[in-house]
Amino acid sequence: MAKLSLNWSAFPPPYQSPRLTQTSPCSTLSIAKASKPIVVCGNPPTFVSAPGRRIVAELNVLVGDLHGDLAQARCALEMAGVLSSNGQNLWTGGDTVLVQLGDILDRGEDEIAILSLLRSLDIQAKASGGAVFQVNGNHETMNVEGDFRYVDSGAFDECTDFLEYLDDYGGNWEEAFLGWVGVSEKWKEDRKMFQNSWGPWNLVKKQKGVIARSILLRPGGLLACELARHAVVLKIDDWVFCHGGLLPHHVAYGIERMNREVSHWMRGLTDNDNDRPIPFMATRGYDSVVWNRLYSRDVSDFADYQNNQQIYSLLEETLQAVGAKAMVVGHTPQTVGVNCKYDCSIWRIDVGMSSGVLNSRPEVLEIRDNTARVIRSKRDRFNERQVVDYT
C-alpha cells in the first residue's frame, strides 16, 4: 500500500492576506425569466454570483472530464436536465447554471463538437436566465503547448474537417463554430467513407490533421482563443471549481491573476512576440491548479493518518482564504463514482465516463441551496447517493 509523505517545504510559507480583489469590471448576464441577475466578475469569469440558481457540474457536465466523447456528453447533459433528448441541441435547464470542469480535449474524436455544443447551450441558457461555464483542464493547456500525445486519430481528422468547414464560411468563426455540432457527424461519416476508399492517403490525412490542430490550438490560434474565454479557477457563490485542485499559494498569488495570465498566454498576447511564457502556477508542475491530485487520490494511497490530517488542513486553509465552503474538482477518475471527502469540503466528480477513459456511466453533481447531491444514470435518475446540507 502506497504512502504519501508530505514535504511541507514544497509549499510556500503561510500568508496573511490573499489577493482576492476583483480588479476586472463585473457584468450582468442577460436575464429573461429570473428575478435576480447572475453577476460575473473577471475576464475570463472568476467570481460569479448566481442567487437562487440550481448548479449542476460535470467533468465528463457539474460535469466532469468529457475527453472528446460527444455521445457520453449528451447523456450527461440530458441526465442533468439541461439538454433536450430530441437531438436538436436545445437548452432545457431554464435558469440553471452548468459548470464543465475541463478535459474536453484528448482521447476522443468529437472535441470541437463538444465545445461547439457547450457554447450554443451557453447562449441559449443566458436567454433563459441561466449560464454555462467551462473550466480549462490539463489537457486543454497541454494542447495549447503543442503536446498532442493523447490525441485520438479521429480528433486530428476533426481538426482538418473543421478548417475546411470554416473556409466554407469565409473564415466566419462565430457562425462556423456554433454550427459545427450540428454537422460534425455528417462530415465524420463522409470522411470515413473516403478513407475506406482511399486507404493509401490516410498517412497524408494524418499529417494534415497534425498541421490543422497546430494551427487551431497554438497560442493565438482560433481554438486556443476559444479556450482562453474560460478560467482555470471559478468561484460561484460559496463553491470553488477547478480541474485539479486549489492550494493556499495559488490563492495568495491571485485567482483572477492566474486566470488572466493563462488567457493571455492562450491568446498569444505578450509584450514580446518571441517570448510567450507558460503560466507555471496554473498549468505546470505537480501542484499546479490543473495537475494537482492531492485532494482526489484514492484513500488507499494515504494510509498514514497524519498525512490525511495535513491534507485536510491544507484544504481548510485554502477554502478559508478563498471564502468558499467547498471545492469541486475533476482530473482523477473515481472508480466509486462521484464522492466527497474531508467532511464533504471536497467533491471529486471525474467518473471517467469517456469511452477513451473508463467508459463508465455518467454522473453529475447538483448543488441547490448549498445542498449537494449526486445524480446518476437515467435508470435511477434521481438517486441521491450522498446529500450534504451546508446551510
Side-chain angles (χ1 to χ4, degrees), residues 183-194:
V183 300
S184 61
E185 285 297 318
K186 184 179 186 306
W187 278 72
K188 184 163 59 176
E189 291 173 6
D190 292 345
R191 177 220 311 148
K192 289 181 177 179
M193 288 180 58
F194 175 83

Side-chain angles (χ1 to χ4, degrees), residues 117-186:
L117 174 61
L118 290 174
R119 174 81 99 83
S120 175
L121 292 178
D122 181 40
I123 293 172
Q124 297 177 60
K126 288 175 180 174
S128 299
V132 176
F133 295 100
Q134 293 172 239
V135 174
N136 285 322
N138 61 301
H139 284 270
E140 280 73 42
T141 60
M142 288 169 65
N143 274 267
V144 177
E145 288 183 54
D147 185 344
F148 298 161
R149 282 177 294 169
Y150 301 100
V151 179
D152 184 270
S153 60
F156 284 119
D157 293 334
E158 186 190 29
C159 289
T160 302
D161 291 347
F162 180 74
L163 278 185
E164 294 179 12
Y165 177 73
L166 179 62
D167 188 57
D168 291 344
Y169 275 84
N172 186 325
W173 168 261
E174 284 294 313
E175 190 172 353
F177 183 63
L178 286 172
W180 179 244
V181 67
V183 300
S184 61
E185 285 297 318
K186 184 179 186 306

Side-chain angles (χ1 to χ4, degrees), residues 7-249:
N7 181 2
W8 287 94
S9 63
F11 298 100
Y15 53 92
Q16 297 299 320
S17 55
R19 301 178 183 179
L20 292 179
T21 303
Q22 300 168 8
T23 58
S24 297
C26 299
S27 60
T28 301
L29 299 185
S30 176
I31 298 301
K33 300 176 181 179
S35 58
K36 295 182 180 179
I38 297 175
V39 178
V40 179
C41 300
N43 183 22
T46 302
F47 302 98
V48 177
S49 173
R53 298 313 197 282
R54 167 185 182 251
I55 302 173
V56 289
E58 62 178 3
L59 185 73
N60 284 325
V61 200
L62 250 223
V63 179
D65 303 17
L66 294 168
H67 282 301
D69 193 327
L70 182 59
Q72 287 282 66
R74 288 186 187 279
C75 182
L77 290 166
E78 290 176 19
M79 187 176 64
V82 298
L83 177 68
S84 62
S85 58
N86 59 7
Q88 297 301 306
N89 301 324
L90 300 177
W91 174 261
T92 59
D95 65 357
T96 294
V97 171
L98 169 69
V99 182
Q100 198 282 324
L101 281 187
D103 276 7
I104 290 174
L105 301 186
D106 289 342
R107 297 195 174 101
E109 60 181 5
D110 296 306
E111 305 161 314
I112 305 176
I114 294 174
L115 290 168
S116 171
L117 174 61
L118 290 174
R119 174 81 99 83
S120 175
L121 292 178
D122 181 40
I123 293 172
Q124 297 177 60
K126 288 175 180 174
S128 299
V132 176
F133 295 100
Q134 293 172 239
V135 174
N136 285 322
N138 61 301
H139 284 270
E140 280 73 42
T141 60
M142 288 169 65
N143 274 267
V144 177
E145 288 183 54
D147 185 344
F148 298 161
R149 282 177 294 169
Y150 301 100
V151 179
D152 184 270
S153 60
F156 284 119
D157 293 334
E158 186 190 29
C159 289
T160 302
D161 291 347
F162 180 74
L163 278 185
E164 294 179 12
Y165 177 73
L166 179 62
D167 188 57
D168 291 344
Y169 275 84
N172 186 325
W173 168 261
E174 284 294 313
E175 190 172 353
F177 183 63
L178 286 172
W180 179 244
V181 67
V183 300
S184 61
E185 285 297 318
K186 184 179 186 306
W187 278 72
K188 184 163 59 176
E189 291 173 6
D190 292 345
R191 177 220 311 148
K192 289 181 177 179
M193 288 180 58
F194 175 83
Q195 288 176 336
N196 290 337
S197 302
W198 301 93
W201 291 98
N202 286 350
L203 179 59
V204 176
K205 289 281 288 182
K206 176 65 177 293
Q207 292 173 333
K208 287 179 63 178
V210 173
I211 294 171
R213 192 174 188 88
S214 299
I215 291 172
L216 286 168
L217 280 163
R218 66 189 178 196
L222 290 171
L223 199 53
C225 288
E226 178 66 24
L227 296 176
R229 299 174 61 249
H230 312 306
V232 290
V233 181
L234 179 69
K235 182 174 182 287
I236 304 179
D237 298 332
D238 294 329
W239 295 73
V240 61
F241 304 90
C242 56
H243 182 72
L246 197 65
L247 294 168
H249 67 284

